[in-house]
Amino acid sequence: MSGIITNKLTFHRGRKVERVRKLRGWTQTDLADKLGISKQAVSKLEQSENIGDEKLKEISNALGVTFEGLRDFTEEKVLYNTNNFYENCGVSATNIVANVETLNVPLKEAIESFERELRETRKSLLDIIMEKIVTKE
């Protein structure tokens, strides 16, 4: 059973390039610009089962990842590392909510301050307008 899962999550080199590109949030055009090639050439690369080590090193540099990381990339490793990161970093939903609430307090105070300033500016502007109207009459 685990062999089936591993096979589904293991890609040929072109698919690895595609997955890492997508995980970075890049389009084929973004990667093409970094590599100095066309979008069509990136598409062809992503469909290639075998990409030489030199080309893969060039691609890994463009993507901002290590050669080994790109070469050995599997979805299984990403899932494993992601799960372990969250389990071992001390982050929990409670911590996240507390941090958001801590951030919202200064934000709420800033909004209230800007709203007060806006009300005062409107009042001053209205006073100036009223003074101009009275002076013209």
Side-chain angles (χ1 to χ4, degrees), residues 21 36 58-59 64-66 82 109:
R21 174 184 59 78
E58 184 182 338
I59 295 167
V65 298
T66 65
T82 302
E109 291 171 357

Side-chain angles (χ1 to χ4, degrees), residues 5-134:
I5 293 171
T6 302
N7 289 337
K8 285 184 178 180
L9 298 177
T10 303
F11 301 117
H12 60 68
R13 285 188 167 185
R15 289 291 171 235
K16 291 178 182 190
V17 170
E18 178 186 25
R19 289 298 296 141
V20 172
R21 174 184 59 78
K22 287 181 176 181
L23 287 169
R24 302 268 303 157
W26 291 7
T27 63
Q28 287 182 336
T29 303
D30 295 331
L31 181 56
D33 291 344
K34 295 275 187 184
L35 291 170
I37 60 176
S38 69
K39 175 185 173 191
Q40 291 78 11
V42 170
S43 177
K44 189 174 179 180
L45 268 173
E46 291 179 351
Q47 294 174 30
S48 301
E49 287 190 32
N50 295 312
I51 300 172
D53 285 351
E54 288 306 312
K55 188 64 174 177
L56 199 63
K57 285 178 186 175
E58 184 182 338
I59 295 167
S60 67
N61 286 335
L63 287 168
V65 298
T66 65
F67 166 74
E68 294 80 13
L70 183 56
R71 181 192 63 205
D72 301 335
F73 175 85
T74 64
E75 294 284 330
E76 190 174 48
K77 284 184 182 179
V78 172
L79 294 172
Y80 175 79
N81 289 332
T82 302
N83 287 338
N84 283 337
F85 171 78
Y86 286 114
E87 288 173 6
N88 297 322
C89 72
V91 173
S92 67
T94 305
N95 292 348
I96 293 171
V97 169
N99 287 335
V100 169
E101 288 174 359
T102 302
L103 290 172
N104 282 338
V105 169
L107 183 60
K108 184 178 177 183
E109 291 171 357
I111 291 170
E112 289 171 354
S113 174
F114 283 123
E115 287 175 342
R116 275 193 306 276
E117 186 71 31
L118 183 59
R119 282 192 299 271
E120 291 171 12
T121 302
R122 283 182 181 154
K123 185 179 179 307
S124 296
L125 184 58
L126 187 58
D127 290 344
I128 292 170
I129 293 171
M130 292 303 291
E131 186 178 311
K132 296 276 186 190
I133 291 174
V134 171

